[in-house]
Amino acid sequence: MLVLNCSTKLLTLENMLKSHFPESLKVYGAVMNINRGNPFQKEVVLDSWPDFKAVITRRQKEAETDNLDHYTNAYAVFYKDVRAYGRLLEEHDVINWDQVFQIQGLQSELYDVTKAIANSKQLDVQLASFKAVRFSPVSALPDTSLLTTSPPRLTHLSVADADLLNRTWSRGGNEQCLRYIANLISCFPSVCVRDDKGNPVSWSITDQFATMCHGYTLPEHRRKGYSQLVALTLAWKLQSRGFPSQGNVLDDNAASISILKGIRAEFLPCRFHRLILTPVAFSGQGHL
């Protein structure tokens, strides 16, 4: 195991990962954030350097953690050789197996290899799989003319909005998610439409892997074009900062898939996999 701390090498890694798109996108997004202030206190672990075969991004050891917070206790994985990933996973001190955590990646063998090792350590593994998407280049801010003749306005989220997002997210509704969302809003780009009272009615945020997530419009404000406007504006924000604009969508989310097709997002050949791992000691306590 090698922890990559050198800023020059981290920039080199960022460039190297580009040649392995789209499978490396989650790790690439995390590494980009590390190289730009590291607001989520991440670090990079590899099997070797510079000819690495597996790379994992994780929370820094000294960062304060909550053992039930799988939102923040998150790892991203990319490998050139799945056997090297398995060996890295089994090395001492690479993974904190004593807490609830998640592993994300865009490669098909991720689940089987991780599950085999996790089962040997008596952890439960839950898999969620999504279509992976990447937005086409957005050359300019989207047209906001649909907002100019009515009270709604396009802006960004504030930490004060975190409770609303926690209550409306299918993965939310708990203390860990509330804290996580507040941190995301503080650290990364977001976009929302606010009504005449200043309340968010449609929004999207960016996560620790530079992925657009929690795109949501309140039911009473749907079919007004807000979701498309928010998605394109956030994609433009990320692209203007040099980040890839990537996202994930469930296979049965027909409304979001239709919006993504309408704005010509690219559906990637790989799928996004999110594994949530829970030690026996915390079984029934984690918010999955």
Side-chain angles (χ1 to χ4, degrees):
M1 177 188 76
L2 172 67
V3 179
L4 202 65
N5 291 318
C6 171
S7 58
T8 301
K9 291 179 180 178
L10 284 165
L11 286 169
T12 300
L13 175 63
E14 180 181 316
N15 288 322
M16 293 169 74
L17 289 167
K18 290 180 182 178
S19 62
H20 299 285
F21 283 175
E23 289 83 2
S24 64
L25 273 169
K26 298 298 175 185
V27 169
Y28 178 77
V31 172
M32 283 195 75
N33 281 324
I34 291 171
N35 288 334
R36 288 154 183 79
N38 200 12
F40 243 68
Q41 297 177 279
K42 294 283 190 178
E43 63 185 9
V44 174
V45 178
L46 311 97
D47 62 325
S48 60
W49 179 263
D51 187 24
F52 69 90
K53 294 183 174 63
V55 55
I56 297 173
T57 64
R58 68 183 186 185
R59 186 87 162 163
Q60 290 175 337
K61 293 292 185 180
E62 60 270 23
E64 183 178 349
T65 59
D66 173 350
N67 283 334
L68 288 177
D69 183 5
H70 76 267
Y71 306 95
T72 304
N73 304 331
Y75 301 76
V77 170
F78 168 71
Y79 50 80
K80 302 175 187 177
D81 181 342
V82 68
R83 294 168 298 181
Y85 166 59
R87 290 192 295 269
L88 186 59
L89 205 61
E90 290 190 285
E91 282 198 39
H92 175 69
D93 217 28
V94 171
I95 302 291
N96 183 352
W97 300 99
D98 296 324
Q99 60 182 195
V100 185
F101 65 96
Q102 65 171 291
I103 294 179
Q104 296 192 5
L106 291 159
Q107 292 169 282
S108 59
E109 305 98 334
L110 180 67
Y111 173 68
D112 288 338
V113 173
T114 307
K115 182 175 173 59
I117 296 171
N119 285 350
S120 71
K121 299 179 182 293
Q122 296 186 309
L123 275 80
D124 175 69
V125 182
Q126 293 195 15
L127 169 69
S129 183
F130 305 73
K131 294 180 182 293
V133 300
R134 183 165 53 182
F135 286 76
S136 302
V138 181
S139 57
L141 272 172
D143 180 17
T144 59
S145 59
L146 79 163
L147 301 179
T148 58
T149 57
S150 57
R153 58 190 177 90
L154 190 67
T155 180
H156 55 81
L157 291 162
S158 73
V159 172
D161 303 314
D163 182 64
L164 173 62
L165 271 66
N166 183 38
R167 287 187 281 110
T168 52
W169 200 5
S170 59
R171 296 179 56 213
N174 58 77
E175 176 188 343
Q176 288 83 11
C177 187
L178 175 62
R179 183 172 59 239
Y180 175 66
I181 289 173
N183 288 337
L184 292 183
I185 292 171
S186 296
C187 295
F188 305 121
S190 65
V191 171
C192 75
V193 174
R194 295 184 185 273
D195 63 16
D196 57 345
K197 296 179 180 178
N199 299 314
V201 298
S202 182
W203 59 80
S204 185
I205 57 179
T206 311
D207 74 8
Q208 55 195 310
F209 306 110
T211 302
M212 298 165 58
C213 64
H214 194 8
Y216 188 85
T217 299
L218 296 177
E220 62 270 28
H221 291 278
R222 292 173 185 171
R223 300 185 180 278
K224 298 179 181 180
Y226 292 167
S227 293
Q228 178 175 322
L229 177 63
V230 165
L232 284 173
T233 304
L234 185 54
W236 178 85
K237 274 191 173 185
L238 289 167
Q239 291 173 14
S240 67
R241 299 182 186 194
F243 285 83
S245 45
Q246 56 174 316
N248 319 301
V249 61
L250 286 167
D251 293 78
D252 60 358
N253 192 338
S256 292
I257 291 172
S258 176
I259 290 170
L260 289 166
K261 288 181 177 179
I263 57 180
R264 299 181 180 178
E266 174 190 4
F267 288 82
L268 301 175
C270 53
R271 290 182 64 81
F272 167 59
H273 306 287
R274 184 183 67 237
L275 286 57
I276 298 179
L277 297 91
T278 306
V280 172
F282 295 121
S283 181
Q285 297 182 56
H287 301 284
L288 310 185

